[in-house]
């Protein structure tokens, strides 16, 4: 397992990322095996969620994944990124986080995170030693408030000690720092220039079609707040007479 983890990180350190430019309303891909970049209009991007079921000797197992991409109109070549997630809602939430950044000027997860998430106001985006310390502060506060008893509190700390206390956090921080240090070196020069901010008068605007769809989504949500998000979008497309 650890060998697979190391191989995955090694590949990640040498893989150029996909970049999103909110001011341009564009997405930049790097063709696999080259340093050629392809810039894609944000509104032409497609996203999907994959769900698979299989039967093993241990029972039925499910796997989920999320992906997004673009079929180049001239070559027909697919530019895409796919990765596994632990559940369908998590896959959808990955896309919603990207969409929130591009459409609603959400700059970080801290702006939309659940108040119960164990991340402080100024903590970095990744998990690390700070995550473990926040968790201990929370469990101690819950014990002080009488929310949990001594047995639960003691067992929680016992598991924490068995998991080697702060060592997992230090390892996570080490890997993140290595990625932050090495990954900018794999960016093509064209992508770096494209990533520069624009003057406000040069910012791209959403299309009229997207504006109408967003308004329709808000109306449907106001009418039926409990409707699943995928059905909300399907209904919005149907009402606007647009084929998804």
């Amino acid at each position: 397992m650890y060998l697979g983890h190391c191989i995955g990180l090694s590949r990640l350190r040498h893989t150029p990322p996909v970049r999103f430019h909110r001011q341009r309303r564009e997405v930049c891909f790097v063709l696999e095996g080259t340093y050629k970049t392809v810039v894609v209009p944000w509104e032409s991007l497609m996203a999907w969620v994959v769900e698979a079921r299989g039967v093993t000797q241990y029972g039925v197992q499910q796997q989920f994944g999320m992906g997004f991409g673009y079929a180049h109109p001239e070559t027909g070549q697919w530019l895409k990124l796919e990765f596994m997630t632990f559940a369908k809602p998590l896959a959808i939430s990955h896309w919603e986080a990207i969409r929130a950044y591009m459409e609603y000027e959400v700059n970080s997860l801290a702006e939309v995170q659940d108040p119960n998430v164990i991340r402080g106001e100024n903590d970095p985006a990744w998990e690390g030693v700070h995550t473990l310390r926040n968790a201990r502060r929370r469990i101690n506060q819950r014990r002080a408030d009488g929310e949990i008893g001594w047995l639960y509190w003691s067992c929680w700390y016992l598991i924490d000690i068995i998991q080697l206390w702060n060592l997992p956090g230090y390892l996570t921080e080490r890997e993140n720092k290595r990625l932050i240090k090495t990954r900018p070196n794999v960016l093509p020069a064209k992508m770096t220039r494209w990533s520069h901010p624009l003057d406000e008068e040069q910012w791209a605007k959403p299309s009229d079609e997207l504006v109408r769809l967003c308004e329709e989504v808000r109306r449907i949500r106001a009418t039926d707040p409990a409707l699943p998000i995928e059905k909300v979008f399907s209904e919005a497309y149907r009402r606007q007479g647009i084929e998804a």
Side-chain angles (χ1 to χ4, degrees):
M1 180 180 294
Y2 184 72
L3 178 60
H5 174 73
C6 291
I7 293 174
L9 285 175
S10 178
R11 290 176 179 173
L12 186 61
R13 283 196 292 271
H14 297 90
T15 302
V18 176
R19 281 202 161 182
F20 296 81
H21 202 305
R22 184 167 59 200
Q23 296 171 357
R24 296 180 184 273
R25 295 184 67 79
E26 293 175 342
V27 184
C28 187
F29 290 87
V30 179
L31 297 180
E32 186 176 359
T34 72
Y35 272 82
K36 295 181 180 179
T37 59
V38 178
V39 176
V40 174
W42 158 246
E43 292 185 23
S44 67
L45 208 64
M46 289 175 277
W48 56 88
V49 173
V50 179
E51 179 178 356
R53 290 186 177 90
V55 179
T56 69
Q57 64 268 35
Y58 304 107
V60 178
Q61 294 185 340
Q62 289 181 292
Q63 291 181 315
F64 303 92
M66 178 262 176
F68 58 84
Y70 173 80
H72 199 286
E74 297 179 2
T75 64
Q77 181 180 6
W78 265 97
L79 307 168
K80 63 181 180 178
L81 177 66
E82 293 181 309
F83 51 88
M84 301 301 297
T85 62
F86 292 106
K88 183 188 292 185
L90 185 60
I92 295 174
S93 68
H94 278 297
W95 174 248
E96 283 300 292
I98 296 172
R99 204 171 66 85
Y101 169 78
M102 291 294 288
E103 297 291 349
Y104 302 112
E105 299 189 8
V106 175
N107 296 301
S108 69
L109 292 176
E111 298 178 38
V112 294
Q113 70 180 6
D114 188 323
N116 293 320
V117 172
I118 50 177
R119 180 180 292 125
E121 182 179 353
N122 299 316
D123 285 345
W126 59 81
E127 294 186 357
V129 177
H130 59 278
T131 310
L132 302 174
R133 290 171 178 164
N134 291 342
R136 292 183 196 117
R137 279 196 292 269
R138 174 183 291 184
I139 200 74
N140 291 336
Q141 186 61 50
R142 292 178 65 191
R143 176 68 193 97
D145 294 341
E147 184 180 343
I148 59 175
W150 283 104
L151 180 60
Y152 184 98
W153 180 87
S154 301
C155 290
W156 191 95
Y157 264 96
L158 178 61
I159 295 173
D160 196 25
I161 293 170
I162 292 173
Q163 293 176 340
L164 303 179
W165 200 246
N166 284 335
L167 181 59
Y170 283 118
L171 293 175
T172 303
E173 289 186 356
R174 175 177 173 270
E175 294 299 338
N176 273 286
K177 289 177 180 177
R178 290 176 64 186
L179 287 174
I180 291 172
K181 182 179 179 180
T182 59
R183 292 202 78 190
N185 298 329
V186 303
L187 294 182
K190 186 176 180 181
M191 177 183 276
T192 302
R193 292 193 298 269
W194 173 88
S195 300
H196 291 163
L198 302 176
D199 295 331
E200 188 169 353
E201 59 270 16
Q202 296 179 297
W203 291 5
K205 304 295 182 183
S207 65
D208 294 338
E209 182 181 73
L210 180 61
V211 171
R212 291 195 303 271
L213 278 170
C214 291
E215 292 174 350
E216 193 68 64
V217 166
R218 294 188 187 99
R219 284 194 290 268
I220 296 171
R221 292 284 289 169
T223 304
D224 189 356
L227 191 66
I229 191 64
E230 60 270 21
K231 293 185 178 180
V232 171
F233 284 113
S234 297
E235 179 63 15
Y237 273 94
R238 188 190 66 79
R239 292 185 184 183
Q240 289 293 320
I242 300 174
E243 184 177 347

